[in-house]
Amino acid sequence: MTMPVPRLSPIRLPHLRLPAVAVPRPVRIVFGFLGRLLLRIVTAILSAVAEVYLGLTHRVARIIHGVIMGMLRFAVGLVRFAIRFAIGLVRALFGLDRQDAETVTRARLKLIVLAFCLIFVAIAGRLTFLGIVADPNGGRGGGSDAVASARPDIVDRNGDILAIDVKSPSLFAEPRRLIDPDEALEGLLKVLPDLDVAEARARLNSGKGFAWLKREITPSQQRAIYRLGLPGIGFVRENRRVYPDGPTISHVLGGVNIDNQGIAGLEKYIDGNGLSELHLAGLAVDRQQEPVQLSMDVRVQNAVRDELMRAKDKFKAKAAMGVVTDVRTGEIIAMVSLPDFDPNIGGNPKDDAYLNRLTTGVFEMGSTFKALSFAMALDSGRIGLNSSFDARGALSFGRFKINDYHAENRVLTVPEIFLVSSNVGTAKMVLSLGVEAHKAFLRKMGQLDRLRTELPESSEPIVPRRWGELNSATIAFGHGLSVAPLQAVMAVNSMVNGGYLIPPTFLKRNEAEAQKVAVRVLKPETSDKMRYLLRLNAEKGTAGKSEVPGYLVGGKTGTAEKVVNGRYAKNKLLTSFTAVFPMDRPHYLVLVMLDEPQALPETHGYATAGWNAAPTSGKIIERIAPMLGVMPRQNLPNAEQILRASEPAQKVADRR
């Protein structure tokens, strides 16, 4: 039904007459004409505006009328559909129009399917509503509202638990449901006196749908709060990471944040290798993740840590470090850096205890680094065990002089240079091969690039910008080049395992897997000669105090002066000892380092590695060797016999 548009007649206004004024006739004519013209213009404009207004009003009325009628028709249709559907549903349920059993069954199946669809639609709608309304700004101290995610267990090489998730209650509030926030806060403070009052009050009065109050409370605290009977206060059980051994393996395992996400060490490595993606996809569910098995042995770790703590206290050192590796596979069996920290307790990552000195720290390794110089010389083919070098007097480079700690002042053979740890002899030996050859060898041995392992924390070596003869001379005996201790360990492993450079790993690996990533860097005969020198040093040289009866230990001491204000300080030493056992069939390497150990009366006033790091290594080997399946033996060969026994193998290798 349409409404007719009313036809408008023009608006007529009364004729305006100007009052009689004594003005000239021409002026009256002009003003009269202008007045009539203006009047007609105004009249036309007003007529047009009125017509437009009435037209728009009519159209709006028609639109409103159409909408109302449409809504009425829709409502009537909906009511009719509901009535018909209800009648059909009743007839179907009571079988009023059933024709046969098959038709009735089909009708009932359709009814069931329809009911399930309605239920799922309702659930989906509710979830969508909760997702939109949920408060995204809860959290405690920067934590998120997400419940702490599940993580896989971490076990050592023997299956002993090193890290595990346990269920822990966390306290939250629904501020919208609170009756009296102040009363609730007063009750909570009786159970949780350490609660931040200002922060908790702000959260309780926020009027939001959700807010964390305290993560990871104890079961007794949960029971006490539950008994308060506070509406709008609840608990959620979430995963909490627990480290049963406390600080024992802290630098390797690292730690997690309040949401159970890895932030350091192997925990961060695990997240970076797929776990974080599983969490985002919602697939990281408890007990559905395989444990991560490490190469570490917690028994060996405890023994190494115990001996290092004793040595640190005995020699009043600032820090102590130790690592045990399998030279055949590159597996790290134990790694200790003291001081350490307890990952179960939060702390400041900037504290000294959080620094893993074996991977993140870089040091001038001192005479321990001489082993690389001897390996380079012997592997070149130009220098043999019978070669000799003049060690009489200092080696001069302009105003710089290189001296020996205990100068022999004579011509020394290669084994003698190793035994007396001659700086002059070692420098001359390296310089005879050339600076470029020295750089190429150290790069091949992995000493000039950052060492990458499963631990995210690592540091670049500090390499001279301009590498000349003086640099090669000092680097030859362990000064002028700073590396991570684990880098040096990797190189020494290759000297005794037959010449293979194997990247170290914290994950369990067998010898076959190790050979796939191994790179030959030394000749087999070079490795045999290095084993001879290392064992000879324990028999006759500076490594004598590391000797453990029955285990055929060999090694090299290292004493480096630390740099203080750009100068080497003679009273601040970094001592180290690299031990390998058993030397006739090398299997394990032990590195011990002490930072600024002090001289004792029993060391006769010396603070060098032979008096502190070497005996500490011997004590560690004595404790861990049986754990690693290395039993003491009798009638062990000496260094000369080890070298002679390797000669047939060298000839076979040459023929191949």
Side-chain angles (χ1 to χ4, degrees), residues 484-503:
L486 193 58
Q487 279 183 280
V489 166
M490 176 180 66
V492 177
N493 282 349
S494 69
M495 298 177 201
V496 296
N497 68 8
Y500 293 99
L501 190 71
I502 304 174

Side-chain angles (χ1 to χ4, degrees), residues 65 179 187 197 206 222 230 251 255 257 281 342 379 402 429 432 450 609 622 633 641:
H65 179 266
I179 299 174
V197 178
S206 64
Q222 181 187 19
L230 299 172
H251 284 108
N257 62 12
D342 189 345
D379 200 61
I402 296 174
M429 184 173 60
S432 69
R450 175 180 290 183
E622 189 173 15
R633 296 177 289 162
Q641 292 170 331

Side-chain angles (χ1 to χ4, degrees), residues 395-425:
L395 183 60
S396 299
F397 291 89
R399 61 188 181 90
F400 297 102
K401 289 186 178 182
I402 296 174
N403 296 286
D404 285 335
Y405 187 68
H406 292 293
E408 294 287 320
N409 293 317
R410 61 186 177 90
V411 176
L412 301 174
T413 63
V414 168
E416 288 175 333
I417 295 172
F418 196 85
L419 291 178
V420 300
S421 196
S422 170
N423 295 339
V424 175

Side-chain angles (χ1 to χ4, degrees), residues 364-569:
E364 293 183 352
M365 296 298 293
S367 295
T368 302
F369 219 66
K370 287 178 182 174
L372 277 79
S373 301
F374 281 82
M376 170 192 170
L378 295 173
D379 200 61
S380 69
R382 296 165 53 186
I383 298 174
L385 292 175
N386 295 322
S387 301
S388 58
F389 292 86
D390 188 356
R392 293 174 293 183
L395 183 60
S396 299
F397 291 89
R399 61 188 181 90
F400 297 102
K401 289 186 178 182
I402 296 174
N403 296 286
D404 285 335
Y405 187 68
H406 292 293
E408 294 287 320
N409 293 317
R410 61 186 177 90
V411 176
L412 301 174
T413 63
V414 168
E416 288 175 333
I417 295 172
F418 196 85
L419 291 178
V420 300
S421 196
S422 170
N423 295 339
V424 175
T426 305
K428 287 187 174 181
M429 184 173 60
V430 168
L431 291 175
S432 69
L433 299 174
V435 173
E436 293 305 319
H438 191 202
K439 290 170 62 176
F441 179 79
L442 291 178
R443 186 171 299 280
K444 179 177 68 172
M445 300 295 283
Q447 303 304 296
L448 303 185
D449 301 304
R450 175 180 290 183
L451 176 64
R452 302 288 185 179
T453 66
E454 291 82 9
L455 292 188
E457 300 84 15
S458 63
S459 296
E460 289 274 1
I462 301 176
V463 182
R465 293 183 180 179
R466 297 180 180 179
W467 193 318
E469 285 194 344
L470 176 60
N471 301 105
S472 274
T474 57
I475 291 171
F477 56 85
H479 284 74
L481 175 65
S482 298
V483 300
L486 193 58
Q487 279 183 280
V489 166
M490 176 180 66
V492 177
N493 282 349
S494 69
M495 298 177 201
V496 296
N497 68 8
Y500 293 99
L501 190 71
I502 304 174
T505 180
F506 291 89
L507 303 179
K508 199 169 183 180
R509 175 200 284 167
N510 57 40
E511 291 189 36
E513 293 169 337
Q515 283 301 311
K516 294 179 182 179
V517 296
V519 178
R520 178 171 286 284
V521 291
L522 297 173
K523 301 171 186 174
E525 54 267 31
T526 302
S527 178
D528 294 332
K529 293 173 184 176
M530 289 305 301
R531 290 194 292 119
Y532 160 73
L533 290 176
L534 291 169
R535 176 55 191 166
L536 188 66
N537 196 36
E539 292 177 355
K540 302 179 180 180
T542 57
K545 296 189 181 300
S546 68
E547 183 76 313
V548 183
Y551 290 109
L552 205 64
V553 178
K556 183 71 184 77
T557 55
T559 302
E561 296 173 354
K562 295 176 65 176
V563 178
V564 179
N565 298 325
R567 294 180 177 272
Y568 287 104

Side-chain angles (χ1 to χ4, degrees), residues 555-605:
K556 183 71 184 77
T557 55
T559 302
E561 296 173 354
K562 295 176 65 176
V563 178
V564 179
N565 298 325
R567 294 180 177 272
Y568 287 104
K570 295 186 178 296
N571 61 338
K572 295 183 181 295
L573 304 178
L574 179 71
T575 63
S576 60
F577 184 75
T578 306
V580 180
F581 70 99
M583 287 309 305
D584 56 342
R585 296 189 297 273
H587 200 166
Y588 296 103
L589 178 147
V590 177
L591 171 68
V592 169
M593 299 179 67
L594 298 174
D595 189 0
E596 296 187 21
Q598 304 301 309
L600 302 177
E602 62 186 84
T603 65
H604 307 287

Side-chain angles (χ1 to χ4, degrees), residues 22-339:
V23 293
R25 180 179 177 83
V27 174
R28 290 202 307 269
I29 294 173
V30 171
F31 274 98
F33 173 77
L34 292 177
R36 288 191 295 272
L37 179 62
L38 179 62
L39 182 61
R40 290 180 180 179
I41 292 173
V42 172
T43 302
I45 292 173
L46 291 176
S47 298
V49 170
E51 185 172 356
V52 170
Y53 172 75
L54 291 175
L56 288 175
T57 304
H58 177 68
R59 290 179 183 176
V60 171
R62 289 181 60 188
I63 292 172
I64 294 173
H65 179 266
V67 170
I68 293 173
M69 294 304 295
M71 292 177 62
L72 288 174
R73 292 190 190 101
F74 176 77
V76 171
L78 189 62
V79 171
R80 288 177 179 176
F81 172 78
I83 294 172
R84 290 175 182 175
F85 178 79
I87 293 172
L89 183 63
V90 171
R91 294 179 65 86
L93 288 174
F94 290 96
L96 299 178
D97 57 352
R98 69 178 61 176
Q99 300 175 358
D100 52 53
E102 184 177 356
T103 303
V104 174
T105 302
R106 287 181 179 176
R108 289 178 177 175
L109 285 175
K110 291 179 181 178
L111 209 59
I112 293 172
V113 171
L114 178 61
F116 273 107
C117 288
L118 292 174
I119 292 171
F120 280 117
V121 168
I123 294 173
R126 180 60 178 168
L127 290 175
T128 303
F129 173 77
L130 291 175
I132 295 173
V133 174
D135 174 27
N137 298 316
R140 179 197 70 142
S144 71
D145 285 342
V147 175
S149 53
R151 305 183 63 81
D153 294 346
I154 300 179
V155 299
D156 79 341
R157 64 186 304 109
N158 302 312
D160 291 333
I161 295 290
L162 303 179
I164 190 172
D165 278 357
V166 298
K167 291 294 185 180
S168 173
S170 290
L171 178 67
F172 71 90
E174 297 175 277
R176 294 175 184 172
R177 296 183 53 212
L178 290 175
I179 299 174
D180 188 344
D182 291 332
E183 181 184 358
L185 178 60
E186 184 179 353
L188 292 174
L189 288 174
K190 293 178 181 178
V191 182
L192 303 171
D194 60 334
L195 204 62
D196 189 310
V197 178
E199 183 179 6
R201 178 176 285 109
R203 292 178 187 274
L204 293 174
N205 287 282
S206 64
K208 297 177 179 178
F210 179 91
W212 286 118
L213 293 178
K214 188 173 179 61
R215 306 286 285 274
E216 299 176 1
I217 63 175
T218 65
S220 60
Q221 290 173 332
Q222 181 187 19
R223 289 192 295 270
I225 295 172
Y226 185 79
R227 285 194 293 268
L228 294 175
L230 299 172
I233 300 295
F235 308 93
V236 60
R237 292 179 63 81
E238 54 181 347
N239 296 293
R240 177 188 177 192
R241 201 60 161 173
V242 173
Y243 303 91
D245 292 291
T248 303
I249 317 181
S250 56
H251 284 108
V252 175
L253 297 178
V256 298
N257 62 12
I258 193 68
D259 292 320
N260 226 27
Q261 298 167 340
I263 56 174
L266 286 175
E267 295 282 24
K268 186 175 182 179
Y269 165 80
I270 292 171
D271 275 22
N273 281 266
L275 183 61
S276 57
E277 285 77 7
L278 288 176
H279 287 156
L280 291 175
L283 300 177
V285 184
D286 290 349
R287 305 306 174 194
Q288 290 186 2
Q289 303 174 59
E290 290 294 326
V292 177
Q293 188 168 36
L294 306 186
S295 60
M296 310 279 291
D297 189 323
V298 70
R299 304 168 304 167
V300 177
Q301 180 81 5
N302 275 290
V304 174
R305 184 172 182 270
D306 182 53
E307 290 297 337
L308 286 177
M309 290 182 72
R310 294 183 183 183
K312 180 175 177 291
D313 293 339
K314 178 179 179 179
F315 297 104
K316 299 178 177 60
K318 290 178 58 179
M321 297 147 272
V323 62
V324 180
T325 65
D326 187 325
V327 302
R328 302 175 185 177
T329 64
E331 293 175 296
I332 298 172
I333 309 299
M335 176 179 282
V336 178
S337 177
L338 298 176

